[in-house]
Coordinates of all heavy atoms in Angstrom, one line a residue:
M1 N -9.8 -34.4 15.3 CA -8.4 -34.2 15.0 C -8.2 -32.7 14.5 O -9.0 -32.3 13.7 CB -8.0 -35.2 13.9 CG -6.6 -34.9 13.3 SD -6.2 -35.6 11.8 CE -5.7 -37.2 12.3
S2 N -7.3 -32.1 15.0 CA -7.0 -30.7 14.5 C -6.2 -30.8 13.2 O -5.6 -31.8 12.9 CB -6.2 -29.9 15.6 OG -4.9 -30.5 15.8
T3 N -6.3 -29.7 12.4 CA -5.7 -29.7 11.2 C -4.7 -28.5 11.1 O -4.8 -27.6 11.8 CB -6.7 -29.6 10.0 OG1 -7.4 -28.3 10.2 CG2 -7.6 -30.7 9.9
A4 N -3.7 -28.7 10.2 CA -2.7 -27.7 10.0 C -3.0 -27.0 8.7 O -3.6 -27.6 7.8 CB -1.3 -28.3 10.0
S5 N -2.6 -25.8 8.6 CA -2.7 -25.0 7.3 C -1.4 -25.4 6.5 O -0.4 -25.6 7.0 CB -2.8 -23.5 7.5 OG -3.9 -23.2 8.2
A6 N -1.5 -25.3 5.2 CA -0.4 -25.5 4.3 C -0.2 -24.3 3.4 O -1.2 -23.8 2.9 CB -0.6 -26.8 3.4
I7 N 1.0 -24.0 3.1 CA 1.3 -22.9 2.1 C 2.2 -23.5 1.0 O 3.1 -24.2 1.3 CB 1.9 -21.7 2.7 CG1 2.0 -20.6 1.7 CG2 3.2 -22.0 3.4 CD1 2.3 -19.2 2.2
V8 N 1.8 -23.2 -0.2 CA 2.5 -23.7 -1.4 C 3.1 -22.5 -2.0 O 2.4 -21.5 -2.4 CB 1.6 -24.4 -2.4 CG1 2.4 -24.8 -3.6 CG2 0.9 -25.6 -1.7
L9 N 4.4 -22.4 -2.1 CA 5.1 -21.3 -2.7 C 5.3 -21.6 -4.2 O 6.2 -22.4 -4.6 CB 6.5 -21.1 -2.0 CG 6.4 -20.8 -0.5 CD1 7.8 -20.7 0.1 CD2 5.5 -19.6 -0.2
A10 N 4.5 -21.0 -5.0 CA 4.5 -21.3 -6.5 C 4.8 -20.0 -7.3 O 4.5 -20.0 -8.5 CB 3.2 -21.9 -6.9
G11 N 5.4 -19.0 -6.7 CA 5.7 -17.8 -7.4 C 7.0 -18.0 -8.2 O 7.7 -19.0 -8.2
R12 N 7.2 -16.9 -9.0 CA 8.5 -16.9 -9.9 C 9.1 -15.5 -9.7 O 8.5 -14.6 -9.3 CB 8.1 -17.2 -11.3 CG 7.1 -16.3 -11.9 CD 6.9 -16.6 -13.4 NE 5.6 -16.1 -13.9 CZ 5.3 -14.8 -14.1 NH1 6.2 -13.9 -13.9 NH2 4.2 -14.5 -14.5
R13 N 10.3 -15.5 -10.1 CA 11.0 -14.2 -10.1 C 10.6 -13.3 -11.2 O 10.5 -13.8 -12.4 CB 12.5 -14.4 -10.2 CG 13.1 -15.1 -9.0 CD 14.6 -15.1 -8.9 NE 15.0 -15.7 -7.7 CZ 16.0 -16.6 -7.6 NH1 16.6 -17.0 -8.7 NH2 16.3 -17.1 -6.4
D14 N 10.2 -12.1 -10.9 CA 9.8 -11.1 -11.9 C 10.9 -10.9 -13.0 O 12.1 -10.8 -12.6 CB 9.4 -9.8 -11.3 CG 8.1 -9.8 -10.6 OD1 7.3 -10.7 -10.9 OD2 7.9 -9.0 -9.7
G15 N 10.5 -10.9 -14.2 CA 11.5 -10.6 -15.3 C 12.3 -11.7 -15.8 O 13.1 -11.6 -16.7
S16 N 12.2 -12.9 -15.1 CA 12.9 -14.0 -15.6 C 12.0 -15.1 -16.0 O 10.9 -15.3 -15.5 CB 13.9 -14.6 -14.5 OG 13.1 -15.1 -13.4
I17 N 12.4 -15.9 -17.0 CA 11.6 -17.0 -17.5 C 12.4 -18.3 -17.1 O 13.6 -18.4 -17.4 CB 11.5 -17.0 -19.1 CG1 10.7 -15.7 -19.5 CG2 10.8 -18.2 -19.6 CD1 10.7 -15.4 -21.0
D18 N 11.7 -19.1 -16.4 CA 12.3 -20.3 -15.9 C 12.6 -21.2 -17.1 O 11.7 -21.5 -17.9 CB 11.3 -21.1 -14.9 CG 12.0 -22.3 -14.4 OD1 12.7 -22.2 -13.4 OD2 11.7 -23.4 -15.0
P19 N 13.8 -21.8 -17.3 CA 14.1 -22.6 -18.4 C 13.2 -23.8 -18.5 O 12.9 -24.3 -19.6 CB 15.6 -23.0 -18.2 CG 16.1 -22.0 -17.2 CD 14.9 -21.5 -16.4
L20 N 12.9 -24.5 -17.4 CA 12.0 -25.6 -17.5 C 10.6 -25.3 -17.9 O 10.1 -26.0 -18.8 CB 12.0 -26.3 -16.1 CG 11.3 -27.6 -16.0 CD1 11.9 -28.7 -16.9 CD2 11.2 -28.1 -14.5
A21 N 10.1 -24.2 -17.5 CA 8.8 -23.8 -17.9 C 8.8 -23.4 -19.4 O 7.9 -23.8 -20.2 CB 8.3 -22.6 -17.1
A22 N 9.9 -22.7 -19.8 CA 10.0 -22.4 -21.2 C 10.1 -23.6 -22.1 O 9.5 -23.6 -23.2 CB 11.2 -21.5 -21.4
A23 N 10.8 -24.6 -21.7 CA 11.0 -25.8 -22.5 C 9.6 -26.5 -22.7 O 9.5 -27.3 -23.6 CB 12.0 -26.8 -21.8
H24 N 8.7 -26.3 -21.7 CA 7.4 -27.0 -21.8 C 6.3 -26.0 -22.3 O 5.1 -26.4 -22.4 CB 7.0 -27.6 -20.5 CG 7.8 -28.8 -20.1 ND1 7.6 -30.0 -20.6 CD2 9.0 -28.9 -19.4 CE1 8.5 -30.9 -20.1 NE2 9.3 -30.2 -19.4
G25 N 6.7 -24.8 -22.7 CA 5.7 -23.9 -23.2 C 4.7 -23.4 -22.2 O 3.6 -23.1 -22.6
V26 N 5.1 -23.3 -20.9 CA 4.1 -22.8 -19.9 C 4.8 -21.6 -19.3 O 6.0 -21.4 -19.3 CB 3.8 -23.9 -18.9 CG1 3.0 -25.0 -19.5 CG2 5.0 -24.4 -18.2
A27 N 3.9 -20.8 -18.7 CA 4.4 -19.5 -18.1 C 5.1 -19.7 -16.8 O 6.0 -19.0 -16.5 CB 3.2 -18.6 -17.9
D28 N 4.6 -20.7 -16.0 CA 5.2 -20.8 -14.7 C 5.6 -22.3 -14.5 O 5.0 -23.2 -15.0 CB 4.1 -20.5 -13.6 CG 3.9 -19.1 -13.4 OD1 3.8 -18.4 -14.5 OD2 3.8 -18.6 -12.3
K29 N 6.7 -22.5 -13.7 CA 7.2 -23.8 -13.4 C 6.2 -24.7 -12.8 O 6.2 -25.9 -13.0 CB 8.5 -23.7 -12.6 CG 9.2 -25.0 -12.5 CD 10.6 -25.0 -11.9 CE 10.9 -23.9 -10.9 NZ 12.2 -24.0 -10.3
C30 N 5.3 -24.2 -12.0 CA 4.3 -25.0 -11.3 C 3.3 -25.6 -12.3 O 2.6 -26.6 -12.0 CB 3.5 -24.2 -10.3 SG 2.4 -22.9 -10.9
L31 N 3.3 -25.2 -13.6 CA 2.4 -25.7 -14.6 C 3.2 -26.8 -15.5 O 2.5 -27.4 -16.3 CB 1.9 -24.6 -15.5 CG 1.0 -23.6 -14.8 CD1 0.6 -22.5 -15.8 CD2 -0.2 -24.2 -14.2
V32 N 4.4 -27.0 -15.2 CA 5.2 -28.0 -16.0 C 4.5 -29.4 -15.8 O 4.2 -29.8 -14.7 CB 6.6 -28.1 -15.6 CG1 7.3 -29.3 -16.2 CG2 7.3 -26.8 -16.0
P33 N 4.2 -30.1 -16.9 CA 3.5 -31.3 -16.7 C 4.4 -32.4 -16.1 O 5.5 -32.6 -16.5 CB 3.0 -31.7 -18.1 CG 3.9 -30.9 -19.1 CD 4.3 -29.7 -18.3
V34 N 3.8 -33.2 -15.2 CA 4.4 -34.4 -14.6 C 3.4 -35.5 -14.9 O 2.3 -35.4 -14.4 CB 4.7 -34.2 -13.1 CG1 5.3 -35.5 -12.6 CG2 5.7 -33.0 -12.9
L35 N 3.8 -36.4 -15.7 CA 2.9 -37.5 -16.1 C 1.6 -36.9 -16.7 O 0.5 -37.4 -16.5 CB 2.6 -38.4 -14.9 CG 3.7 -39.2 -14.4 CD1 3.3 -40.0 -13.1 CD2 4.4 -40.1 -15.4
G36 N 1.7 -35.8 -17.5 CA 0.6 -35.2 -18.2 C -0.3 -34.3 -17.4 O -1.2 -33.8 -17.9
T37 N 0.1 -34.1 -16.1 CA -0.7 -33.2 -15.2 C 0.2 -32.1 -14.7 O 1.3 -32.4 -14.3 CB -1.3 -34.0 -14.1 OG1 -2.1 -35.1 -14.6 CG2 -2.1 -33.2 -13.1
P38 N -0.2 -30.9 -14.6 CA 0.6 -29.8 -14.0 C 1.1 -30.2 -12.6 O 0.3 -30.7 -11.8 CB -0.3 -28.6 -14.0 CG -1.3 -28.8 -15.1 CD -1.6 -30.4 -15.0
C39 N 2.3 -29.9 -12.4 CA 3.0 -30.2 -11.1 C 2.2 -29.8 -9.9 O 2.0 -30.5 -8.9 CB 4.4 -29.6 -11.1 SG 5.3 -29.9 -9.6
I40 N 1.6 -28.5 -10.0 CA 0.9 -28.0 -8.8 C -0.4 -28.8 -8.5 O -0.8 -28.9 -7.4 CB 0.6 -26.5 -9.0 CG1 0.1 -26.0 -7.6 CG2 -0.5 -26.3 -10.1 CD1 0.3 -24.5 -7.5
E41 N -0.9 -29.5 -9.5 CA -2.1 -30.3 -9.3 C -1.7 -31.5 -8.5 O -2.5 -32.0 -7.6 CB -2.7 -30.8 -10.6 CG -3.6 -29.8 -11.3 CD -5.0 -29.7 -10.7 OE1 -5.8 -30.5 -11.0 OE2 -5.2 -28.8 -9.8
H42 N -0.5 -32.1 -8.7 CA -0.1 -33.2 -7.9 C 0.1 -32.7 -6.4 O -0.3 -33.5 -5.5 CB 1.3 -33.8 -8.4 CG 1.2 -34.5 -9.7 ND1 0.7 -35.7 -9.8 CD2 1.5 -34.0 -11.0 CE1 0.7 -36.1 -11.1 NE2 1.2 -35.1 -11.8
V43 N 0.7 -31.6 -6.2 CA 0.9 -31.0 -4.9 C -0.4 -30.8 -4.2 O -0.6 -31.2 -3.0 CB 1.8 -29.7 -5.0 CG1 1.9 -29.1 -3.6 CG2 3.2 -30.0 -5.5
L44 N -1.3 -30.1 -4.9 CA -2.6 -29.9 -4.2 C -3.4 -31.1 -3.9 O -4.0 -31.2 -2.9 CB -3.4 -28.9 -5.2 CG -2.9 -27.5 -5.3 CD1 -3.7 -26.7 -6.3 CD2 -2.8 -26.8 -4.0
G45 N -3.3 -32.1 -4.8 CA -4.0 -33.4 -4.6 C -3.5 -34.1 -3.4 O -4.2 -34.6 -2.6
A46 N -2.1 -34.1 -3.2 CA -1.5 -34.7 -2.1 C -1.9 -34.0 -0.8 O -2.3 -34.7 0.2 CB 0.0 -34.8 -2.2
L47 N -1.9 -32.7 -0.8 CA -2.3 -31.9 0.4 C -3.8 -32.2 0.7 O -4.2 -32.4 1.9 CB -2.0 -30.4 0.2 CG -0.6 -30.0 0.2 CD1 -0.4 -28.6 -0.2 CD2 0.0 -30.3 1.6
A48 N -4.6 -32.2 -0.3 CA -6.1 -32.4 -0.1 C -6.4 -33.7 0.5 O -7.3 -33.9 1.3 CB -6.8 -32.2 -1.4
A49 N -5.6 -34.7 0.2 CA -5.8 -36.1 0.6 C -5.3 -36.3 2.0 O -5.6 -37.3 2.6 CB -5.2 -37.1 -0.4
A50 N -4.4 -35.4 2.5 CA -3.8 -35.6 3.8 C -4.8 -35.2 4.9 O -5.2 -34.0 5.0 CB -2.5 -34.8 3.9
P51 N -5.2 -36.1 5.8 CA -6.2 -35.8 6.8 C -5.8 -34.6 7.8 O -6.6 -33.9 8.3 CB -6.4 -37.1 7.6 CG -5.9 -38.1 6.7 CD -4.9 -37.5 5.8
A52 N -4.5 -34.5 7.9 CA -4.0 -33.5 8.9 C -3.9 -32.1 8.3 O -3.6 -31.1 9.0 CB -2.6 -33.9 9.3
I53 N -4.2 -31.9 7.0 CA -4.2 -30.6 6.3 C -5.6 -30.1 6.1 O -6.4 -30.7 5.6 CB -3.5 -30.7 4.9 CG1 -2.0 -31.2 5.1 CG2 -3.5 -29.4 4.2 CD1 -1.1 -30.3 5.9
G54 N -5.8 -28.9 6.6 CA -7.0 -28.2 6.4 C -6.9 -27.1 5.3 O -6.8 -27.5 4.1
P55 N -6.8 -25.8 5.7 CA -6.7 -24.8 4.6 C -5.4 -24.9 3.9 O -4.4 -25.2 4.5 CB -6.8 -23.5 5.4 CG -7.4 -23.9 6.8 CD -7.0 -25.3 7.0
I56 N -5.5 -24.6 2.6 CA -4.3 -24.5 1.7 C -4.2 -23.2 1.1 O -5.2 -22.7 0.6 CB -4.4 -25.6 0.6 CG1 -4.6 -27.0 1.3 CG2 -3.2 -25.6 -0.3 CD1 -5.0 -28.1 0.3
V57 N -3.0 -22.6 1.2 CA -2.8 -21.3 0.6 C -1.7 -21.4 -0.5 O -0.7 -22.0 -0.2 CB -2.4 -20.2 1.6 CG1 -2.0 -18.9 0.9 CG2 -3.4 -20.0 2.7
V58 N -2.0 -20.9 -1.7 CA -1.0 -20.9 -2.8 C -0.5 -19.5 -3.0 O -1.4 -18.6 -3.3 CB -1.5 -21.5 -4.1 CG1 -0.5 -21.4 -5.2 CG2 -1.9 -23.0 -3.8
S59 N 0.8 -19.2 -2.9 CA 1.3 -17.9 -3.2 C 1.9 -18.0 -4.6 O 2.8 -18.8 -4.9 CB 2.5 -17.6 -2.2 OG 3.1 -16.4 -2.6
I60 N 1.3 -17.3 -5.5 CA 1.6 -17.4 -6.9 C 1.5 -16.0 -7.6 O 0.7 -15.1 -7.1 CB 0.6 -18.4 -7.6 CG1 1.1 -18.8 -9.0 CG2 -0.8 -17.9 -7.5 CD1 0.4 -20.0 -9.6
N61 N 2.3 -15.8 -8.6 CA 2.4 -14.4 -9.2 C 1.0 -14.0 -9.8 O 0.6 -12.9 -9.6 CB 3.4 -14.4 -10.3 CG 4.8 -14.4 -9.8 OD1 5.2 -15.4 -9.1 ND2 5.5 -13.3 -10.0
D62 N 0.3 -14.9 -10.4 CA -1.0 -14.6 -11.0 C -2.0 -15.7 -10.5 O -2.0 -16.8 -11.1 CB -0.9 -14.6 -12.5 CG -2.2 -14.2 -13.2 OD1 -3.2 -14.0 -12.4 OD2 -2.3 -14.3 -14.4
P63 N -2.8 -15.5 -9.5 CA -3.7 -16.5 -9.0 C -4.7 -17.0 -10.1 O -5.1 -18.2 -10.0 CB -4.5 -15.7 -8.0 CG -3.6 -14.7 -7.5 CD -2.8 -14.2 -8.7
A64 N -4.9 -16.3 -11.2 CA -5.8 -16.8 -12.3 C -5.2 -18.0 -13.0 O -5.9 -18.8 -13.6 CB -6.0 -15.7 -13.3
I65 N -3.9 -18.2 -12.8 CA -3.2 -19.4 -13.4 C -3.8 -20.7 -12.9 O -3.9 -21.7 -13.6 CB -1.7 -19.4 -13.1 CG1 -1.0 -18.3 -13.9 CG2 -1.0 -20.7 -13.4 CD1 0.4 -18.1 -13.6
L66 N -4.4 -20.7 -11.7 CA -5.0 -21.9 -11.1 C -6.4 -22.2 -11.7 O -6.8 -23.3 -11.6 CB -5.0 -21.7 -9.6 CG -3.7 -21.5 -8.9 CD1 -3.9 -21.4 -7.4 CD2 -2.8 -22.7 -9.2
T67 N -7.0 -21.2 -12.3 CA -8.3 -21.4 -12.8 C -8.3 -22.4 -13.9 O -7.5 -22.4 -14.8 CB -8.9 -20.0 -13.4 OG1 -8.8 -19.1 -12.4 CG2 -10.3 -20.2 -13.9
G68 N -9.2 -23.4 -13.8 CA -9.3 -24.4 -14.8 C -8.6 -25.7 -14.5 O -8.7 -26.7 -15.1
L69 N -7.8 -25.6 -13.4 CA -7.1 -26.8 -12.9 C -8.1 -27.6 -12.0 O -8.6 -27.0 -11.0 CB -5.8 -26.5 -12.2 CG -4.7 -25.8 -13.0 CD1 -3.5 -25.4 -12.1 CD2 -4.3 -26.6 -14.2
P70 N -8.4 -28.8 -12.3 CA -9.5 -29.5 -11.6 C -9.4 -29.6 -10.1 O -10.3 -29.2 -9.4 CB -9.5 -30.9 -12.2 CG -8.8 -30.8 -13.6 CD -7.9 -29.6 -13.4
T71 N -8.2 -29.9 -9.6 CA -8.1 -30.0 -8.2 C -8.1 -28.6 -7.5 O -8.8 -28.4 -6.5 CB -6.7 -30.7 -7.8 OG1 -6.7 -32.0 -8.4 CG2 -6.6 -30.9 -6.3
A72 N -7.5 -27.7 -8.1 CA -7.5 -26.3 -7.6 C -9.0 -25.8 -7.6 O -9.4 -25.2 -6.6 CB -6.6 -25.4 -8.4
D73 N -9.7 -26.0 -8.7 CA -11.1 -25.5 -8.8 C -12.0 -26.2 -7.7 O -12.7 -25.5 -7.0 CB -11.7 -25.8 -10.2 CG -11.2 -24.9 -11.3 OD1 -10.6 -23.8 -10.9 OD2 -11.4 -25.3 -12.4
R74 N -11.8 -27.5 -7.5 CA -12.6 -28.2 -6.5 C -12.3 -27.7 -5.1 O -13.2 -27.4 -4.3 CB -12.3 -29.7 -6.6 CG -13.0 -30.5 -5.5 CD -12.8 -32.0 -5.6 NE -11.4 -32.4 -5.6 CZ -10.6 -32.5 -4.5 NH1 -11.2 -32.3 -3.3 NH2 -9.4 -32.9 -4.6
L75 N -11.0 -27.5 -4.8 CA -10.6 -27.0 -3.5 C -11.1 -25.6 -3.2 O -11.5 -25.2 -2.1 CB -9.1 -27.1 -3.3 CG -8.6 -28.5 -3.2 CD1 -7.0 -28.5 -3.2 CD2 -9.1 -29.2 -1.9
M76 N -11.2 -24.8 -4.3 CA -11.7 -23.4 -4.1 C -13.2 -23.4 -3.8 O -13.7 -22.7 -2.9 CB -11.4 -22.6 -5.4 CG -9.9 -22.1 -5.5 SD -9.7 -21.0 -6.8 CE -8.0 -21.1 -7.1
V77 N -13.9 -24.3 -4.6 CA -15.3 -24.4 -4.3 C -15.6 -24.9 -2.9 O -16.5 -24.4 -2.2 CB -16.0 -25.4 -5.4 CG1 -17.4 -25.8 -5.0 CG2 -16.0 -24.7 -6.7
E78 N -14.8 -25.8 -2.4 CA -14.9 -26.4 -1.1 C -14.5 -25.4 0.0 O -14.7 -25.6 1.2 CB -14.1 -27.6 -0.9 CG -14.6 -28.8 -1.7 CD -13.6 -30.0 -1.6 OE1 -12.6 -30.0 -0.9 OE2 -13.9 -31.0 -2.3
G79 N -13.9 -24.3 -0.4 CA -13.4 -23.3 0.5 C -12.1 -23.6 1.2 O -11.7 -23.0 2.2
R80 N -11.4 -24.6 0.7 CA -10.1 -25.1 1.3 C -8.9 -24.4 0.7 O -7.8 -24.4 1.3 CB -9.9 -26.6 1.2 CG -10.8 -27.4 2.1 CD -10.5 -28.8 2.1 NE -9.1 -29.1 2.6 CZ -8.5 -30.3 2.4 NH1 -9.1 -31.2 1.8 NH2 -7.3 -30.4 2.9
L81 N -9.0 -23.8 -0.5 CA -7.9 -23.2 -1.2 C -8.1 -21.7 -1.4 O -9.1 -21.3 -1.8 CB -7.7 -23.9 -2.6 CG -6.6 -23.3 -3.4 CD1 -5.2 -23.6 -2.8 CD2 -6.7 -24.0 -4.8
T82 N -7.0 -21.0 -1.0 CA -6.9 -19.6 -1.3 C -5.7 -19.3 -2.0 O -4.6 -19.8 -1.7 CB -6.9 -18.8 0.1 OG1 -8.0 -19.1 0.9 CG2 -6.9 -17.3 -0.2
A83 N -5.8 -18.6 -3.1 CA -4.6 -18.2 -3.9 C -4.4 -16.7 -3.6 O -5.3 -15.9 -3.7 CB -4.9 -18.4 -5.4
I84 N -3.1 -16.4 -3.3 CA -2.7 -15.0 -3.1 C -1.6 -14.6 -4.0 O -0.8 -15.5 -4.4 CB -2.3 -14.8 -1.6 CG1 -1.1 -15.7 -1.2 CG2 -3.5 -15.0 -0.7 CD1 -0.5 -15.3 0.1
R85 N -1.6 -13.4 -4.4 CA -0.5 -12.9 -5.3 C 0.8 -12.8 -4.5 O 0.9 -12.2 -3.4 CB -0.9 -11.5 -5.8 CG 0.1 -10.9 -6.8 CD -0.5 -9.7 -7.5 NE -1.8 -9.9 -8.1 CZ -2.0 -10.4 -9.3 NH1 -1.0 -10.9 -10.0 NH2 -3.2 -10.5 -9.8
A86 N 1.8 -13.4 -5.1 CA 3.2 -13.4 -4.5 C 3.8 -12.0 -4.6 O 3.5 -11.3 -5.5 CB 4.1 -14.4 -5.2
E87 N 4.5 -11.7 -3.6 CA 5.2 -10.4 -3.5 C 6.6 -10.6 -4.0 O 7.1 -11.7 -4.1 CB 5.2 -9.9 -2.1 CG 3.8 -9.5 -1.6 CD 3.2 -8.4 -2.3 OE1 3.9 -7.4 -2.7 OE2 2.0 -8.4 -2.4
A88 N 7.3 -9.5 -4.4 CA 8.7 -9.6 -4.8 C 9.5 -10.2 -3.7 O 9.3 -9.9 -2.5 CB 9.2 -8.2 -5.1
N89 N 10.5 -11.0 -4.1 CA 11.3 -11.6 -3.0 C 12.5 -10.7 -2.7 O 12.7 -9.6 -3.2 CB 11.8 -13.0 -3.5 CG 12.7 -13.0 -4.7 OD1 13.2 -12.0 -5.1 ND2 12.8 -14.1 -5.4
L90 N 13.3 -11.2 -1.8 CA 14.5 -10.4 -1.3 C 15.7 -10.6 -2.2 O 16.7 -9.9 -2.0 CB 14.8 -10.8 0.1 CG 13.7 -10.6 1.1 CD1 14.1 -11.1 2.5 CD2 13.4 -9.1 1.2
A91 N 15.7 -11.6 -3.1 CA 16.9 -11.9 -3.9 C 17.0 -10.9 -5.0 O 16.2 -10.3 -5.5 CB 16.8 -13.3 -4.5

């Protein structure tokens, strides 16, 4: 079975603080806890479990934010996850 690549857009706008992230005391909205786990961990876990998904790329302002997240760490060790620094958007 062939696999597709997935891209997760987890960047934020420079100079603005997301109100949801601020309310939860985290720097980025992707770290807001859902059932006690950062939202991005749920997304990465679902992608990792999907047989049709191969490589996963996360576009995020600071790739170091993913360090220490269990699913992200595991996928990086497996070579399935690449984090890239998000660029400024057009808005």
Side-chain angles (χ1 to χ4, degrees):
M1 172 196 278
S2 64
T3 59
S5 299
I7 185 163
V8 178
L9 303 177
R12 60 178 155 72
R13 292 190 176 135
D14 285 337
S16 67
I17 298 172
D18 182 85
L20 186 60
H24 288 277
V26 294
D28 285 44
K29 189 167 34 176
C30 69
L31 297 176
V32 170
V34 176
L35 298 175
T37 301
C39 180
I40 195 158
E41 280 281 277
H42 291 282
V43 172
L44 294 175
L47 289 170
I53 300 297
I56 301 166
V57 177
V58 176
S59 175
I60 190 164
N61 289 63
D62 181 5
I65 287 173
L66 300 177
T67 303
L69 299 178
T71 304
D73 286 345
R74 176 177 57 82
L75 290 170
M76 283 188 202
V77 168
E78 292 173 3
R80 284 188 66 195
L81 177 65
T82 303
I84 60 170
R85 186 169 305 279
E87 296 292 329
N89 64 18
L90 299 175

